[in-house]
Every structure is written in C-alpha cells, then in structure tokens.
Amino acid sequence: MEKGKISSLQMAFMMYPTIVATALLGVPSITAKYAKNDLWLSPIFATLIGCLTVYIAFKLHKLYPKQTVIQLSERIIGVIPGKILGFLFLFFYIQNTGLVLRSYGEFVVDSFLVKTPISVIMASMVLLCAFIVRGGIEVLGRAAELFVPIFILPICILIILLIPDLEFKNIFPILGNGIMPPIKGAIVPGGWFSEFFLIIFLLPFLADMKKGMKAGMMTVFAVTMTLMVVNLMVLFVLGSSTASKVYPLMNVSRYISIGDFFEHLESAVMAVWIVGAFVKISVFYYAAALGTAQWLNLSGYRPVVWPIGILIVEFGFWSFPSSMDVNRNDINVFPFQGMLMQTIIPLLLLVIAVIRKKNGQNKGSSSS
C-alpha cells in the first residue's frame, strides 16, 4: 500500500509543526484564562500527555509491527468491534482536519485577505495538500524537512526583536494562586499533545526504528520548549491582557518597531501559520487517507485521496457556522475529544493487547 520509507528525523520534522502550528496562535490566550501569569507552566504539565501518548503508540507498534491503529484494532478487539472503532478514528481525523482547515481559513481571512472568500482559501490549501499526500510518505517527509526551518526561523526572529519590549516583572508572582491554575490551563494544550498519536500511522514506514522512540520523545520536548518560550514572550509583552486576545502572538508582533521603518511584522506570523498549517493538514490528511484505505481493505490509498479531500473541506464548513464556534470547540470540546480518542482509547487497546499476549503465552506454556 505504501512503499516509501522515512527516517526518525523526518518523522520528528513532520510531528513538530503538526503540534505547534495551531497551538502557537490560540493556546497562550486560552491557558491565560485559567493560569493567568503562570501560563508558561501549563505546557510542562501538558507534556505528560505527549510522553504518555508517544509511549502508547510505540508499545502498540512493537506488539503489532507494520500495522496502524486501524489494522491493529481488529487484531486486538475483533473484526466487527475493530471496524467500528476504526470508523470512529477515521471520523475523528477527517473532522479535525476540517477543523484545522477552517481555523486556517478564518485566521487568513480575518487578519489579511478580508475580501477573499474563505472557501477559496480552504480549497486551495486542500488542493496543495492533496498533491503532496498522493506523492507518498517520502515526499511528505522531505517537504517537512524543507519547511520546518522556514517555520522556526520567523519565530526566532520575532523573539529576538521583541527583547526591548519585554517586561520581566509580568511573570510575578509565580504560583501565586497555587498549582491548580496552571494544571487547569494544561488541559487545552493537552489536547494538542495527544495528537502525537499520529505517529502510529508513520511508525510502520520508519527506516531506523531503533531511533523512533528517542525521536518521538525529543519532539515532545521541542514542542514543550517552543510553547513555553512563546507563552513567556506573550506574557512579558501583554501581561494580564493576554487572556483577552484571540491571537496574542499576532498582537505581540505589532509591538516591534526598530528605527521607525522595521515594523508591522504580522507577515512573519502569517508565514509561520501557513507553513505550519500546510504540514499539519498534510499529516492529518495522509493519516485519514491511509486509514480509510486500510479500513476498506484497498490495495492502495491514492484512489481515496481526492474524496477524502472533499470531505475535509465539507467538514470545515458543516462543523461550525462561525469563527466563534471554532474557538469554543478548541476550548470546550477538542481537548477532551482529542485525549479520549488519541490517549485514553489507545491506552485501553494497549492494556487489552498486553493481557491477550500474556494469556496466549500462559496457554502455550501450559499445553507444552
């Protein structure tokens, strides 16, 4: 079905923007609502979800190598229950790809291309992603290698240029209201960290499997550090007003002014968002297309790429009537839905698989 191979480094480059891209813009304000000036601590607590999710994915892959969650579900809980669970996974990933696409379209239209129909923005992005998904996992891995430095560079430039505007006193008092506010603030980023379960669709194609676990955990660490630094930058510039902003990083970029001519660097934020959204949508899209082909027992996934693309665009419109509904979903629904589908259910699958393996070994030893 998929003949290509990727390295563990390419997998890390694919997963890093997949998590960070959408979290950069909205997470600082969402966590600030709960954690206030301790919002920089929330990604540390959310890291536990990411590490657990990566561990579960690798353990499942070790028990059932060369299989994705769509295939191993049938092996663990039976064909019919496995097909039902596989359908739920596919519905989840197609719907959430539509949600990411809708968030991308809303951001571009609201901030820059105000007179462009959002349908044009969304359809053009899916068209680009469809071509790279049809190219296969090797093309996706190489594209991620190319785009991740372009993704990271504007963030580094923004941080350096913001240094004169930083108010370090905004961080105090640390844990003034105890540890619970940053833990509550970690729930929403925890939903993003649960997306690391997508590596279950990439692990069967790793050329250097021994380095896979290390690459996965290092990616979790890199995402945590990125979110911590961005949250601190936003806090140092905006202070207590962070929670009232929809896109705090965009507001922060407007503070940059050097020599009265080097200013208005919102385009850098837009570049980060577009590059990151492209990689993220492509990875989600690939997982949905590959999983659909496996669920239907097809010999290849490329025939379903275009139909899945149409579904993604339709879900982007059907799911939420306005940008406010998209924001509410990011806060109230996605974190719990994401952790349920990508951490809790896989954990239950792993427990069942381990128990079945042990029972099988016990029966084999007793019969011998």
Side-chain angles (χ1 to χ4, degrees), residues 127-146:
L127 183 65
L128 287 173
C129 293
F131 284 120
I132 202 167
V133 170
R134 280 184 61 86
I137 195 166
E138 285 189 2
V139 176
L140 188 52
R142 289 169 185 166
E145 274 187 311
L146 174 66

Side-chain angles (χ1 to χ4, degrees), residues 131-345:
F131 284 120
I132 202 167
V133 170
R134 280 184 61 86
I137 195 166
E138 285 189 2
V139 176
L140 188 52
R142 289 169 185 166
E145 274 187 311
L146 174 66
F147 286 125
V148 164
I150 301 173
F151 176 80
I152 295 174
L153 185 61
I155 299 175
C156 296
I157 293 173
L158 281 175
I159 291 170
I160 293 170
L161 295 179
L162 279 170
I163 290 174
D165 298 295
L166 301 184
E167 294 286 345
F168 296 101
K169 63 182 181 181
N170 291 341
I171 199 174
F172 299 107
I174 298 174
L175 295 177
N177 296 314
I179 200 170
M180 284 309 296
I183 290 177
K184 290 179 180 177
I187 294 173
V188 172
W192 269 271
F193 273 93
S194 70
E195 291 177 349
F196 272 104
F197 188 66
L198 279 165
I199 64 174
I200 198 74
F201 293 94
L202 308 178
L203 291 175
F205 312 112
L206 274 192
D208 49 348
M209 180 53 64
K210 291 181 180 179
K211 299 179 182 178
M213 174 73 89
K214 182 180 178 182
M217 292 300 181
M218 288 300 292
T219 310
V220 174
F221 176 75
V223 169
T224 304
M225 293 304 298
T226 303
L227 293 182
M228 277 183 61
V229 169
V230 169
N231 282 5
L232 281 171
M233 292 298 108
V234 170
L235 175 65
F236 289 153
V237 175
L238 298 179
S240 58
S241 65
T242 302
S244 63
K245 309 297 183 184
V246 179
Y247 303 120
L249 191 61
M250 177 68 72
N251 296 98
V252 163
S253 66
R254 292 177 178 138
Y255 278 75
I256 296 172
S257 180
I258 299 176
D260 292 328
F261 71 91
F262 194 71
E263 52 190 15
H264 300 298
L265 296 185
E266 298 94 329
S267 56
V269 178
M270 185 178 182
V272 169
W273 176 244
I274 291 176
V275 170
F278 173 71
V279 176
K280 176 162 190 164
I281 293 169
S282 296
V283 172
F284 267 78
Y285 194 165
Y286 178 81
L290 180 66
T292 300
Q294 291 172 340
W295 191 78
L296 295 172
N297 296 320
L298 301 178
S299 59
Y301 70 90
R302 287 174 178 82
V304 303
V305 169
W306 294 112
I308 293 294
I310 294 170
L311 278 177
I312 289 170
V313 175
E314 293 300 334
F315 269 107
F317 286 112
W318 288 342
S319 300
F320 308 102
S322 68
S323 58
M324 292 192 64
D325 293 295
V326 175
N327 292 332
R328 283 196 205 100
N329 180 80
D330 287 342
I331 299 171
N332 301 322
V333 178
F334 173 72
F336 304 100
Q337 185 190 42
M339 283 188 274
L340 173 65
M341 293 299 299
Q342 299 177 116
T343 304
I344 296 173
I345 290 178

